[in-house]
Amino acid sequence: MEKLPRSLLSAPGGKADTIPTLWAPGTPAQRGRGLCPAAPLPRSPGGVSMASPTSTNPAHAHFESFLQAQLCQDVLSSFQELCGALGVEPGGGLSQYHKIKAQLNYWSAKSLWAKLDKRASQPVYQQGQACTSTKCLVVGAGPCGLRAALELALLGAQVVLVEKRTKFSRHNVLHLWPFTIHDLRALGAKKFYGRFCTGTLDHISIRQLQLLLLKVALLLGVEIHWGVTFTGLQPPPGKGSGWRAQLQPSPPDQLANYEFDVLISAAGGKFVPEGFTVREMRGKLAIGITANFVNQRTVEETQVPEISGVARIYNQKFFQSLLKATGIDLENIVYYKDDTHYFVMTAKKQCLLRLGVLRQDWLETDRLLGSANVVSEALQRFARAAADFATNGKLGKLEFAQDAHGRPDVSAFDFTTMMRAECSARVQEKHGARLLLGLVGDCLVEPFWPLGTGVARGFLAAFDAAWMVKRWAEGTEPLEVLAERESLYQLLSQTSPENMHRNVAQYGLDPASRYPNLNLRAVTPNQVRDLYDVVAKQPVPKKSDKPDTGDLTSGSAGTQEELLCWCQEKTAGYPGVHVTDLSSSWADGLALCALVHWLRPSLLEPSELQGLRALEVTAWALKIAEHELGITPVVSAQAVVAGSDPLGLIAYLSSFHSAFKDTSGSPGVVSKASPGTSSAVLFLGKLQRTLHRSRDKDLLQESREDAGGKKPRLQVEADTPSTEEQPAPEPSVPLKPPSQQQEESAQASARDLCALCGEHLYILERFCVDGHFFHRNCFRCRACEATLWPGGYGQHPGDGYFYCLQHLPRTGHKEDIMDGSPKSPELPVLDENSVPPGPSTPTALQEASPVPCPSQPARRLIRLSSLERQRLSSLNINPSPEVEPPPKPPRSCSALARQALEGSFVGWGVPVQRPLVLEAMEEEKSPSSSEEEEEEEEDEPLESDLEQALLTLAKNTGTMNKYPTWRRTLLRHAKEEEMKRFCKAQAIQRRLNEIEVALRELEAEGVKLELALRSQSSSPEQQKQLWLEQLLQLVQKKNSLVAEEAELMITVQELDLEEKQWQLDHELRGYMNREETLKTAADRQAEDQVLRRLVDVVNQRDALIRFQEERRLSELASGTGSLG
């Protein structure tokens, strides 16, 4: 049997594996790391040189070549030569490993054997005897497939791996969680790749990861076949035979006849074995762009800091600067340094079309991003300009690395749709032969790349799959095995470094070593009976996440009669109110006011309604219900009075019923933070109105100052309210009923038409803003056409259009927004004129922020935390009078390290004790650190003052020997915090996009039902009643999604305000550290503006905190009430 066919080892295409010029023979970097044959070999502790190509034992030279090989074909050929020199048959399982180990006992080899033996000695492997009678086939030599093969080999199973490719060529970089770094170190990663996660590095290219896992797999006796494609299963033809694989092209006879009882599929998301159901998770169109540039590893390149992730959702200023300078509109960007300079970003489709990257706009994603529609040269210019701007041009001339086909390694891909398997394992049985099938890698769950979870969760799934095989080999009942595996699968999507066991050194194959609070019986054997196929079934089609509305026969929305009875009960006893139906009984507005009064008597008094017309009463009730109860209108006041939209009124009343049907029978039971409605919807609505009032006030003040001249600085401070006072709360009830002008406005919007496009609006499509209805798809930013989220937009008083906060123009500055994007498809060249202004000229974005002015003395009235005071007092930042470079992504590692260090000081920046954060880090010293880590450090530089502060601290405390560890610790944890923040933002962005798609689908379903109900058809009354119930349930689903959207936007507000406060604090320190005599009038005015914005942001963060505390107390109260 051909274990490693030589025809494959010598297959053409090795250039695709060619590493960057760094690894050319004889380069200094290579010699320094022992990665080329000419490199000086390390010495043993006794000073004796390790084996070299001239050693008397040729096997030593082959082994060193195997360790150093950087091409897939070189790894395979050197290993075959090693086995030939030792007289060992490749692919012989653990026995092969022990034979190689016995003959290679010099110092370099022993250090690797020590690591592998330590892993293999874990009790779970039973000294390699746990699965000796198990035969496994692994499909796919990606990182997850290779990692699963390693675990199966350590268990003692016979493992055969087939891979359709013949080379590793993917330069893209993977983020590694701490446990994956430790896991790979324990497998000898640094023996194969000396730069593996040195210093603060927490990532590795896919190609390098595959190479090091391949080397370990070969040593452990995994039998690997290249250029072989798995096409399906071949069931046993009769009793006494087993399962085989259908392979292309024709494999060697022994491989074709290989019978196995376990199949692990790691062949990627495009191939899932027959029988598995796959669910589609869809969001809005999302276009990713990856680019790999040659890393020459010059001193200048090593000094450029990485970007673990920056997202528009919380740093709009950076992306606005990018847009103005280059015309590039992105949602996020990540930059890692590895074998290449790796950039990945999410681009907006309209930007790609405008800049000529895409030729035409197609609805089908395959056509949109197909090679025929992508202009390669324009895509290269796009990626190069984005990378150059993000790194402030410090990488010099960016030269693309080459991909597998010898072309520039830049590509656009679609991650709109991600696949997730409904189950992780199955069992098939035929003629008494059982086959266990498991999924790992992308064919189990396609990762959302911005979260950086792919390889970490992929490794966890590989461990879980190997544990399943161990349980299978022990003779555990198939349904028990499947139930345990599915219990583990339920945990996978929830895992993060924060909710797993903290001691990564204890991680092993046993799930209990990795998952806290593990429940292996979360899924019962009875629940997985459908995963045990005794008879072959038909292929299972893919299942989509579309809302299922075809079988809605009943629901919490209730029937029309139930809704009527509830309304009658709540409005009974009010004078002049007689509810007999869901149309004409509500025409005078009194019934609606009665319903609101029953829920919250303090909102209105019946006496206030005397003398008002029906339209005024109805409009007033609609407004109060929206502002104080969170019930968003779907029908206009005039339609209610005229009775012209009975379906809309029923849908509106059903929202009351759904939210408050479980309240008690006494009036006034609904508190301000009632669990019946979404408190987040209420809060965002009030926040939006507060921002509007504050912004209108600022615009009015600006116009007055422009007309009458600027006020003196002291006069401005004297006129501003004290920040010690709480902001005035929004009145719970309007001070007076709607005016005649409001009535006319209600009449104008009574028609079921979108206020922007003029097209008809169906009930599920109605999106209400300030009493007007829109299509959600129409409610977009006037400047960038981005969807406007609750709490994230403003209306310009001049033109009446809506804008996202990033593009909301100031009075007289509308042209600034519309000119932000070059119309030419040619990208502009970055130069000094393209960078945004420095501190003396604040940007439009900052001026658009609501700014309550502080009272005298301004600086003393900022309410700062102790940490913020430390940062204000202990840092000395002297801004250059020259034009500043483009704004950096938020919280660079150096800045985050500064924050961590300062957080360990007490008082005003005086280190009265040893930094607590560093003491904690010493105690927690990562188990992944070892003497190998000291071989090389490629930490990015700290800011000079922070570096000096850390050095001074080490000297003063007599701990200079710990300075390198402190430095690495600060930077490592800073990068982790940056990544957490980015992942949180991207998870929110993804879910918001999914909600938008789900709402669009609900709208489409609602339109069909509404058309059917409104048509004068001869359908039976029972059918119409069913359609109505389905429509009401769709309304309830929509309300639920809108509430979830509001909750997410609260978190977005938190992230955004936190980032704004950090940036404004940094900017304010720059002004405060200048000599007063050197400040110009413009500088002083800019400083005042920054100060006011900072105070406003602090107040907004306080409001968020108060809101969350009120909600928490309300939830506790409601929980106590339910228990009582």
Side-chain angles (χ1 to χ4, degrees):
M1 177 179 180
E2 289 185 42
K3 303 294 175 62
L4 293 167
R6 288 195 174 275
S7 61
L8 295 177
L9 295 180
S10 59
K15 289 185 178 179
D17 277 301
T18 302
I19 51 180
T21 54
L22 163 71
W23 307 118
T27 60
Q30 193 176 9
R31 289 194 297 269
R33 299 175 178 88
L35 293 172
C36 73
L41 296 171
R43 294 180 175 270
S44 66
V48 179
S49 177
M50 287 169 14
S52 68
T54 59
S55 171
T56 55
N57 187 343
H60 292 184
H62 292 311
F63 184 68
E64 291 300 322
S65 297
F66 171 72
L67 293 181
Q68 298 162 9
Q70 288 294 302
L71 299 177
C72 181
Q73 63 180 34
D74 291 345
V75 171
L76 299 174
S77 59
S78 60
F79 184 72
Q80 185 130 340
E81 291 168 354
L82 173 65
C83 291
L86 297 177
V88 175
E89 185 71 15
L94 284 181
S95 61
Q96 170 218 280
Y97 165 71
H98 292 300
K99 291 176 183 177
I100 295 176
K101 172 186 166 185
Q103 298 184 61
L104 293 176
N105 56 5
Y106 67 102
W107 181 78
S108 179
K110 281 184 176 181
S111 62
L112 177 59
W113 307 147
K115 290 183 175 294
L116 296 180
D117 287 346
K118 183 178 180 181
R119 178 77 185 192
S121 66
Q122 294 181 8
V124 70
Y125 300 115
Q126 300 174 16
Q127 297 182 347
Q129 301 298 310
C131 299
T132 51
S133 60
T134 305
K135 294 183 177 180
C136 306
L137 177 68
V138 179
V139 181
C144 297
L146 286 167
R147 191 65 191 85
L150 292 182
E151 290 302 312
L152 295 174
L154 288 169
L155 288 167
Q158 180 181 347
V159 186
V160 175
L161 185 148
V162 294
E163 169 58 51
K164 64 181 180 181
R165 293 166 295 182
T166 59
K167 54 201 172 189
F168 297 150
S169 57
R170 291 184 289 175
H171 294 296
N172 293 355
V173 177
L174 300 172
H175 173 70
L176 300 178
W177 290 4
F179 97 83
T180 52
I181 295 175
H182 179 270
D183 177 67
L184 292 168
R185 281 185 184 277
L187 293 175
K190 288 186 72 68
K191 293 293 296 183
F192 306 114
Y193 183 46
R195 293 190 60 256
F196 176 76
C197 289
T198 53
T200 61
L201 294 182
D202 58 358
H203 49 74
I204 188 173
S205 70
I206 299 176
R207 192 182 71 84
Q208 285 290 355
L209 179 57
Q210 286 177 288
L211 282 173
L212 69 89
L213 290 174
L214 170 64
K215 293 175 183 180
V216 180
L218 290 171
L219 288 173
L220 294 181
V222 176
E223 182 180 316
I224 302 179
H225 295 265
W226 301 91
V228 179
T229 302
F230 176 85
T231 59
L233 287 169
Q234 182 178 330
K239 288 280 186 178
S241 57
W243 293 81
R244 300 179 184 177
Q246 298 176 358
L247 304 170
Q248 294 292 337
S250 299
D253 291 341
Q254 195 165 347
L255 177 60
N257 296 327
Y258 177 63
E259 295 183 350
F260 48 89
D261 45 16
V262 174
L263 172 68
I264 301 296
S265 176
K270 294 183 179 179
F271 177 81
V272 178
E274 182 179 316
F276 284 90
T277 304
V278 176
R279 182 177 293 276
E280 224 177 37
M281 297 177 290
R282 285 181 294 164
K284 259 192 341 184
L285 176 66
I287 301 175
I289 293 177
T290 60
N292 284 280
F293 300 98
V294 174
N295 187 354
Q296 304 287 359
R297 286 199 166 80
T298 62
V299 175
E300 292 77 13
E301 287 174 297
T302 60
Q303 296 297 310
V304 179
E306 293 183 334
I307 303 173
S308 294
V310 51
R312 176 191 293 271
I313 204 169
Y314 59 79
N315 190 3
Q316 298 178 1
K317 182 178 180 180
F318 172 80
F319 291 96
Q320 177 66 5
S321 300
L322 170 66
L323 178 63
K324 287 186 175 181
T326 66
I328 293 175
D329 205 2
L330 300 180
E331 291 288 349
N332 53 48
I333 188 168
V334 173
Y335 161 52
Y336 285 144
K337 271 182 291 192
D338 208 270
D339 281 351
T340 61
H341 294 291
Y342 171 68
F343 292 84
V344 58
M345 61 203 82
T346 302
K348 294 190 176 182
K349 181 180 71 171
Q350 293 302 324
C351 168
L352 295 174
L353 288 167
R354 174 170 44 79
L355 296 177
V357 177
L358 301 178
R359 289 188 170 90
Q360 287 183 272
D361 187 4
W362 299 101
L363 290 177
E364 303 86 357
T365 308
D366 290 341
R367 295 186 68 182
L368 181 69
L369 299 181
S371 57
N373 199 46
V374 176
V375 180
S376 178
E377 295 77 10
L379 179 60
Q380 292 174 39
R381 290 196 300 270
F382 185 99
R384 185 181 282 113
D388 196 57
F389 183 90
T391 57
N392 201 18
K394 293 182 179 179
L395 288 178
K397 184 179 180 181
L398 292 169
E399 177 185 349
F400 283 100
Q402 302 298 303
D403 65 11
H405 305 286
R407 298 187 294 244
D409 194 353
V410 56
S411 62
F413 64 96
D414 165 50
F415 60 100
T416 304
T417 300
M418 295 181 296
M419 312 304 293
R420 176 185 175 89
E422 288 285 305
C423 61
S424 59
R426 301 184 69 87
V427 172
Q428 293 188 12
E429 180 179 342
K430 190 170 184 180
H431 298 307
R434 289 176 177 173
L435 175 67
L436 176 64
L437 300 95
L439 305 180
V440 298
D442 286 2
C443 65
L444 179 64
V445 180
E446 282 187 329
F448 181 49
W449 74 260
L451 299 185
T453 58
V455 70
R457 290 179 180 169
F459 275 24
L460 291 174
F463 296 157
D464 294 339
W467 175 260
M468 173 185 70
V469 174
K470 180 179 183 293
R471 298 281 288 152
W472 175 267
E474 291 171 347
T476 308
E477 286 297 318
L479 290 180
E480 286 282 350
V481 173
L482 292 173
E484 283 190 8
R485 180 67 189 95
E486 293 310 305
S487 298
L488 292 172
Y489 185 37
Q490 288 186 349
L491 297 175
L492 187 63
S493 61
Q494 307 167 23
T495 54
S496 69
E498 291 73 39
N499 61 18
M500 297 181 66
H501 280 308
R502 305 297 295 176
N503 184 8
V504 297
Q506 74 176 11
Y507 283 21
L509 202 59
D510 189 341
S513 68
R514 294 174 272 123
Y515 306 115
N517 306 316
L518 176 65
N519 179 14
L520 288 175
R521 298 190 177 276
V523 177
T524 65
N526 192 50
Q527 292 175 293
V528 294
R529 290 188 178 277
D530 61 325
L531 303 182
Y532 191 169
D533 299 333
V534 178
V535 180
K537 295 181 179 179
Q538 294 296 323
V540 182
K542 291 182 179 180
K543 185 177 179 180
S544 175
D545 272 343
K546 289 183 180 179
D548 181 11
T549 59
D551 189 29
L552 296 174
T553 57
S554 63
S556 55
T559 62
Q560 188 172 350
E561 291 76 12
E562 181 183 353
L563 176 61
L564 178 59
C565 291
W566 184 82
C567 292
Q568 289 172 335
E569 176 187 347
K570 304 308 177 188
T571 58
Y574 283 90
V577 177
H578 303 285
V579 175
T580 59
D581 55 33
L582 296 175
S583 55
S584 59
S585 297
W586 303 82
D588 57 4
L590 296 178
L592 192 56
C593 286
L595 184 58
V596 172
H597 185 270
W598 186 89
L599 294 170
R600 287 273 295 278
S602 61
L603 293 181
L604 56 85
E605 288 295 332
S607 58
E608 297 175 346
L609 306 179
Q610 297 178 2
L612 298 181
R613 289 178 294 176
L615 189 58
E616 293 175 321
V617 173
T618 304
W620 197 12
L622 289 174
K623 183 176 181 180
I624 293 176
E626 179 184 10
H627 289 186
E628 301 299 333
L629 297 178
I631 304 297
T632 305
V634 293
V635 64
S636 66
Q638 185 173 351
V640 174
V641 173
S644 59
D645 189 8
L647 274 181
L649 178 59
I650 292 174
Y652 180 61
L653 293 175
S654 74
S655 296
F656 281 91
H657 179 244
S658 298
F660 303 112
K661 63 178 179 178
D662 295 327
T663 55
S664 61
S666 57
V669 296
V670 181
S671 65
K672 290 186 178 182
S674 170
T677 55
S678 170
S679 53
V681 172
L682 277 170
F683 178 81
L684 280 181
K686 292 184 178 183
L687 176 63
Q688 188 70 44
R689 293 189 292 276
T690 301
L691 291 178
H692 282 179
R693 287 196 298 270
S694 177
R695 191 174 296 114
D696 291 345
K697 179 180 177 182
D698 292 338
L699 292 173
L700 180 61
Q701 181 179 350
E702 284 185 15
S703 62
R704 286 176 177 174
E705 291 180 354
D706 290 340
K710 301 288 185 181
K711 291 185 180 181
R713 182 181 184 184
L714 294 178
Q715 182 63 37
V716 172
E717 293 175 348
D719 292 343
T720 58
S722 170
T723 57
E724 295 298 330
E725 300 175 3
Q726 295 294 335
E730 184 181 10
S732 297
V733 61
L735 299 180
K736 59 182 180 179
S739 62
Q740 180 67 27
Q741 180 181 359
Q742 290 172 314
E743 178 182 342
E744 293 172 356
S745 175
Q747 292 174 348
S749 61
R751 295 176 298 170
D752 300 329
L753 301 178
C754 174
L756 288 175
C757 71
E759 297 294 328
H760 184 75
L761 277 168
Y762 294 92
I763 293 172
L764 265 294
E765 293 179 325
R766 294 172 190 173
F767 183 69
C768 184
V769 178
D770 297 335
H772 300 280
F773 293 108
F774 306 89
H775 292 103
R776 284 181 67 94
N777 196 47
C778 292
F779 194 63
R780 295 179 178 273
C781 174
R782 171 72 171 172
C784 66
E785 299 185 355
T787 301
L788 297 177
W789 307 106
Y793 65 87
Q795 186 177 20
H796 190 262
D799 59 19
Y801 288 107
F802 292 94
Y803 296 87
C804 65
L805 296 184
Q806 178 182 355
H807 294 131
L808 183 65
R810 294 173 294 152
T811 303
H813 291 76
K814 179 183 174 184
E815 64 278 2
D816 295 343
I817 300 301
M818 306 313 292
D819 294 339
S821 303
K823 295 179 175 58
S824 169
E826 294 292 329
L827 292 176
V829 179
L830 293 176
D831 55 28
E832 293 182 356
N833 297 324
S834 67
V835 299
S840 61
T841 55
T843 63
L845 169 63
Q846 294 169 323
E847 301 240 359
S849 302
V851 184
C853 304
S855 63
Q856 294 189 59
R859 292 180 186 173
R860 295 181 183 176
L861 292 176
I862 303 178
R863 291 176 291 175
L864 301 177
S865 66
S866 60
L867 174 59
E868 291 162 340
R869 291 198 301 272
Q870 296 158 19
R871 286 153 65 180
L872 277 172
S873 63
S874 62
L875 304 181
N876 181 23
I877 299 177
N878 297 314
S880 170
E882 300 176 0
V883 177
E884 293 187 350
K888 296 179 180 179
R891 314 293 180 95
S892 68
C893 285
S894 184
L896 287 168
R898 176 193 300 279
Q899 181 176 345
L901 181 62
E902 292 160 359
S904 64
F905 293 157
V906 176
W908 288 76
V910 180
V912 297
Q913 61 180 10
R914 295 188 62 204
L916 302 178
V917 66
L918 299 180
E919 287 184 350
M921 296 292 38
E922 290 174 24
E923 294 174 1
E924 152 189 331
K925 184 166 173 69
S926 172
S928 65
S929 61
S930 65
E931 67 282 355
E932 292 178 341
E933 187 172 348
E934 307 303 328
E935 294 174 4
E936 176 188 2
E937 294 183 22
E938 282 204 11
D939 294 343
E940 60 186 74
L942 292 172
E943 295 177 11
S944 58
D945 58 338
L946 179 59
E947 186 90 55
Q948 186 60 45
L950 193 58
L951 276 170
T952 302
L953 178 64
K955 290 177 181 177
N956 293 343
T957 55
T959 53
M960 277 299 295
N961 60 318
K962 294 182 178 179
Y963 169 76
T965 302
W966 288 2
R967 190 182 189 279
R968 280 198 308 273
T969 296
L970 283 173
L971 284 171
R972 183 181 294 118
H973 278 255
K975 292 186 74 170
E976 290 174 1
E977 289 303 313
E978 186 179 10
M979 190 65 186
K980 286 180 193 175
R981 182 179 175 80
F982 178 69
C983 291
K984 185 177 183 180
Q986 293 311 297
I988 292 172
Q989 184 70 60
R990 175 70 187 187
R991 183 55 189 153
L992 287 173
N993 290 341
E994 290 173 350
I995 289 175
E996 186 173 347
V997 171
L999 286 172
R1000 194 178 303 133
E1001 293 173 347
L1002 283 178
E1003 290 171 1
E1005 293 292 331
V1007 169
K1008 294 178 184 178
L1009 290 171
E1010 188 174 346
L1011 286 173
L1013 283 167
R1014 292 185 185 276
S1015 65
Q1016 301 298 323
S1017 64
S1018 58
S1019 301
E1021 194 62 31
Q1022 184 178 2
Q1023 179 63 56
K1024 291 184 177 180
Q1025 182 66 25
L1026 177 61
W1027 286 341
L1028 179 58
E1029 291 177 19
Q1030 291 177 353
L1031 181 65
L1032 296 184
Q1033 288 196 36
L1034 291 182
V1035 171
Q1036 185 178 350
K1037 284 186 177 182
K1038 176 183 176 180
N1039 291 340
S1040 177
L1041 288 173
V1042 169
E1044 183 185 357
E1045 181 183 62
E1047 294 285 352
L1048 293 172
M1049 288 307 302
I1050 292 290
T1051 309
V1052 170
Q1053 291 285 342
E1054 291 175 342
L1055 292 172
D1056 183 55
L1057 291 173
E1058 180 185 347
E1059 184 64 30
K1060 284 181 179 177
Q1061 182 172 345
W1062 183 85
Q1063 290 180 349
L1064 290 169
D1065 178 74
H1066 184 83
E1067 190 174 352
L1068 182 63
R1069 286 201 309 267
Y1071 286 115
M1072 295 177 68
N1073 281 317
R1074 293 185 185 181
E1075 292 290 339
E1076 284 291 331
T1077 56
L1078 299 179
K1079 293 181 183 178
T1080 64
D1083 288 337
R1084 292 190 179 91
Q1085 181 184 356
E1087 182 178 354
D1088 288 340
Q1089 291 172 340
V1090 172
L1091 182 62
R1092 287 196 292 267
R1093 288 198 299 272
L1094 179 59
V1095 172
D1096 182 67
V1097 168
V1098 171
N1099 285 337
Q1100 289 183 44
R1101 291 190 71 183
D1102 286 345
L1104 271 176
I1105 293 171
R1106 287 196 301 272
F1107 157 72
Q1108 292 172 333
E1109 180 64 14
E1110 289 175 2
R1111 182 166 60 174
R1112 184 184 68 83
L1113 294 175
S1114 173
E1115 291 172 352
L1116 286 175
S1118 62
T1120 304
S1122 62
L1123 289 175

